[in-house]
């Protein structure tokens, strides 16, 4: 009788132990560890929202501030700008493109109503003068009407370059606070190490994400304007004095860290407003050239928390003696891209049919762009391309090249 009573107890104990053992093996696995770099990990850890996947191929066209400029137009009215941009949008859509990347902050100024930056001179001819319309809002509306996506393109640091604009407005951030920027022989640039300047850039991005129905925000390839040690000597010396030389990074690493801090801050800022808005960067095509700009492109590609997409400007012909298109592309696709970062490729439409570039190799064929697109389309690592820039669609020199590219798209 005692054995019969004990058996059920033993069976119950065995069953409980079995359940415990099984559960220990079936618990949810810890999330896959993301790549990071030591000095950015704390910032990146807060950028937790992934951008939704999209199977649509990126077919973008860059529209620069020069192509949007109203300075030399006989009429600078809202209607004139609407007509001008409508033509741009319709031409791009009819050619087979699906996204416009429009330059909305070229010189620490804005083509939209901003709380931080003055109105851009390209709308009226004078920085700070209100054009009486919001160009970015108009561009968003027209893009939606034409079933086009729109990315707001920003030059993060440039205040002026080679005397453009010729005069800064009284409410320009640099005029209001010269400490946030550095003046050089060829321009004025926000100081990448200055926390107030970093916050200004981030705040400017935030107001775009909050107030405009954009699909993305993009930084171009301009970061540190020079490698000259004198550029920010005072700031670097202050950094060393604050932390002690034995605890400080080299000048090169410090500069790269300053850029990385901004990039990560901007990424988190955008995602805090709208996780569906993409943040992209379009760096130099030759990976090595980015070192001189202190642009840590390899980390931006291989680590989560910097950008949703990278679009290197591979503006080279297929036979360029210095660096061919395919060799340059290989240098990017060989990187171990984070699964959250997409690779697009910038194509040099402005070089098409022009013998002034790449040792006349753009004259060897009238289907270079189409052939490059075909290479990209058959490369599983690439999710699309962006063409620089809109003017090449109407350039007689590039006509055959562009027609062949359009035929390939359609």
């Amino acid at each position: 009788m005692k054995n019969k009573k004990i058996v059920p107890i033993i069976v119950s104990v065995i069953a409980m132990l079995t359940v415990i053992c099984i559960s220990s093996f079936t618990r949810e696995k810890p999330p896959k560890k993301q790549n990071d770099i030591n000095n950015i990990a704390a910032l990146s850890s807060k950028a937790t929202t992934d951008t939704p996947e999209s199977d649509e191929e990126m077919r973008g066209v860059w529209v620069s501030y020069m192509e949007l400029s109203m300075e030399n137009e006989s009429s600078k009215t809202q209607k004139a700008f609407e007509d001008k941009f409508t033509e741009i949008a319709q031409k791009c859509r009819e050619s087979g493109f699906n996204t416009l990347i429009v330059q909305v902050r070229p010189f620490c100024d804005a083509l939209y109503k901003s709380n931080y930056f003055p109105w851009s001179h390209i709308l009226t001819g004078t920085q700070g003068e209100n054009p009486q319309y919001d160009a970015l809002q108009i561009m968003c509306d027209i893009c939606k009407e034409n079933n086009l996506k729109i990315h707001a393109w920003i030059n993060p640091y440039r205040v002026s370059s080679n005397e453009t604009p010729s005069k800064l407005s009284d409410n320009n951030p640099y005029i209001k606070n010269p400490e946030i920027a550095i003046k050089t022989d060829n321009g004025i640039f926000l100081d990448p190490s200055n926390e107030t300047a970093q916050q200004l850039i981030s705040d400017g991005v935030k107001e775009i994400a909050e107030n405009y129905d954009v699909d993305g925000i993009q930084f171009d390839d301009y970061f540190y304007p020079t490698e000259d040690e004198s550029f920010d000597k005072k700031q670097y010396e202050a950094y060393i004095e604050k932390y002690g030389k034995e605890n400080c990074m080299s000048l090169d690493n410090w500069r790269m860290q300053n850029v990385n801090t901004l990039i990560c801050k901007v990424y988190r800022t955008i995602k805090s407003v709208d996780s569906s808005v993409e943040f992209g960067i379009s760096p130099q095509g030759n990976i090595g050239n980015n070192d001189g700009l202190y642009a840590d492109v390899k980390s931006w590609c291989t680590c989560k928390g910097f950008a949703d997409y990278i679009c290197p400007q591979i503006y080279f012909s297929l036979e360029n003696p210095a660096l061919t298109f395919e060799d340059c592309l290989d240098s990017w696709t060989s990187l171990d891209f984070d699964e959250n970062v997409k690779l697009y490729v910038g194509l040099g439409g402005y070089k098409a049919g022009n013998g002034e570039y790449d040792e006349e190799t753009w004259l060897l064929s009238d289907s270079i762009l189409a052939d490059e697109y075909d290479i990209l389309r058959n490369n599983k690592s690439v999710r699309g391309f962006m063409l620089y820039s809109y003017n090449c669609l109407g350039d007689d020199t590039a006509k055959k090249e562009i027609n062949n590219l359009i035929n390939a798209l359609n």
Side-chain angles (χ1 to χ4, degrees):
M1 292 293 293
K2 289 183 180 179
N3 289 340
K4 289 182 179 180
K5 291 181 179 179
I6 291 173
V7 169
I9 295 173
I10 294 174
V11 171
S12 298
V13 170
I14 292 172
M16 289 177 63
L17 291 174
T18 301
V19 170
I20 292 171
C21 290
I22 291 173
S23 65
S24 69
F25 286 101
T26 58
R27 285 180 186 140
E28 183 180 349
K29 294 180 180 180
K32 181 181 177 182
K33 183 179 179 182
Q34 296 292 337
N35 294 328
D36 61 13
I37 52 178
N38 294 334
N39 293 320
I40 297 297
L43 293 174
S44 298
S45 64
K46 295 184 180 180
T48 57
T49 306
D50 294 343
T51 301
E53 287 292 321
S54 172
D55 293 329
E56 183 181 25
E57 177 184 67
M58 166 62 74
R59 296 179 174 185
V61 178
W62 276 293
V63 187
S64 74
Y65 76 89
M66 293 174 285
E67 292 158 332
L68 295 171
S69 178
M70 301 297 290
E71 285 186 279
N72 298 318
E73 301 290 345
S74 57
S75 173
K76 297 179 177 60
T77 64
Q78 176 175 334
K79 178 64 165 54
F81 183 83
E82 289 174 347
D83 290 345
K84 181 172 189 171
F85 192 74
T86 296
E87 181 179 349
I88 291 173
Q90 290 179 348
K91 187 167 189 175
C92 290
R93 184 201 65 201
E94 291 166 0
S95 298
F97 299 95
N98 59 27
T99 305
L100 299 186
I101 306 93
V102 297
Q103 194 166 17
V104 300
R105 205 161 83 220
F107 293 97
C108 213
D109 53 11
L111 275 73
Y112 55 91
K113 186 178 181 180
S114 173
N115 292 321
Y116 307 100
F117 302 96
W119 286 103
S120 178
H121 72 281
I122 73 166
L123 296 177
T124 63
T126 303
Q127 188 178 87
E129 182 178 334
N130 190 337
Q132 304 303 320
Y133 63 87
D134 189 321
L136 178 52
Q137 185 59 59
I138 290 170
M139 291 190 285
C140 287
D141 292 343
I142 292 174
C143 280
K144 300 311 175 188
E145 290 169 5
N146 286 274
N147 197 28
L148 293 167
K149 291 184 178 180
I150 181 170
H151 290 211
W153 163 15
I154 291 169
N155 184 297
Y157 296 119
R158 185 172 60 197
V159 178
S160 69
S161 178
N162 298 317
E163 299 184 356
T164 301
S166 58
K167 187 178 188 303
L168 302 179
S169 64
D170 291 340
N171 63 336
N172 184 287
Y174 168 71
I175 298 299
K176 293 167 66 176
N177 181 11
E179 293 299 317
I180 66 172
I182 300 174
K183 192 171 185 178
T184 70
D185 291 338
N186 62 352
I188 303 169
F189 305 89
L190 293 179
D191 177 4
S193 71
N194 186 284
E195 292 183 4
T196 302
Q198 291 177 2
Q199 189 62 49
L200 171 68
I201 297 167
S202 180
D203 288 341
V205 166
K206 185 176 183 179
E207 71 177 352
I208 293 176
E210 286 181 331
N211 299 320
Y212 298 91
D213 188 15
V214 296
D215 300 285
I217 296 174
Q218 183 184 115
F219 280 3
D220 53 28
D221 59 318
Y222 294 100
F223 295 99
Y224 268 83
T226 180
E227 295 180 74
D228 191 337
E229 292 184 7
S230 66
F231 173 73
D232 49 4
K233 183 178 180 180
K234 181 177 68 174
Q235 290 84 343
Y236 183 61
E237 289 177 346
Y239 159 71
I240 292 177
E241 183 177 349
K242 181 177 182 179
Y243 295 105
K245 188 172 183 178
E246 67 280 1
N247 300 315
C248 289
M249 292 177 279
S250 67
L251 175 64
D252 288 347
N253 288 341
W254 175 73
R255 285 177 170 177
M256 189 170 286
Q257 170 77 350
N258 292 331
V259 176
N260 274 345
T261 299
L262 173 69
I263 297 300
C264 189
K265 184 180 184 69
V266 167
Y267 177 86
R268 290 188 295 117
T269 296
I270 293 172
K271 297 307 176 184
S272 71
V273 176
D274 187 343
S275 62
S276 70
V277 175
E278 293 192 310
F279 177 48
I281 306 170
S282 180
Q284 294 276 319
N286 186 329
I287 287 184
N289 288 349
N290 290 287
D291 292 341
L293 303 170
Y294 304 96
D296 188 11
V297 294
K298 292 181 180 179
S299 292
W300 301 347
C301 293
T302 60
C303 303
K304 179 181 177 182
F306 289 104
D308 295 302
Y309 70 81
I310 302 295
C311 184
Q313 300 167 18
I314 308 184
Y315 298 159
F316 308 120
S317 71
L318 294 168
E319 306 294 335
N320 179 32
L323 181 62
T324 69
F325 176 85
E326 289 182 275
D327 285 344
C328 187
L329 177 62
D330 287 345
S331 68
W332 288 93
T333 56
S334 65
L335 298 177
D336 184 18
F337 268 71
D338 184 271
E339 62 184 0
N340 298 286
V341 184
K342 290 178 285 192
L343 174 63
Y344 301 139
V345 169
L347 298 181
Y350 72 101
K351 289 184 175 181
N354 196 321
E356 296 181 7
Y357 301 104
D358 299 353
E359 297 189 26
E360 300 186 353
T361 52
W362 284 91
L363 300 179
L364 297 177
S365 169
D366 57 15
S367 64
I368 296 173
L369 291 174
D371 292 340
E372 290 180 346
Y373 169 64
D374 190 58
I375 291 169
L376 300 180
R377 187 174 52 184
N378 289 290
N379 190 310
K380 293 181 181 180
S381 298
V382 181
R383 302 284 292 276
F385 73 97
M386 297 178 181
L387 183 71
Y388 187 82
S389 65
Y390 170 73
N391 275 349
C392 73
L393 298 183
D395 184 359
D396 287 340
T397 302
K399 189 172 182 178
K400 289 184 179 180
E401 279 274 9
I402 295 301
N403 285 341
N404 285 327
L405 174 61
I406 291 172
N407 288 335
L409 294 178
N410 296 291

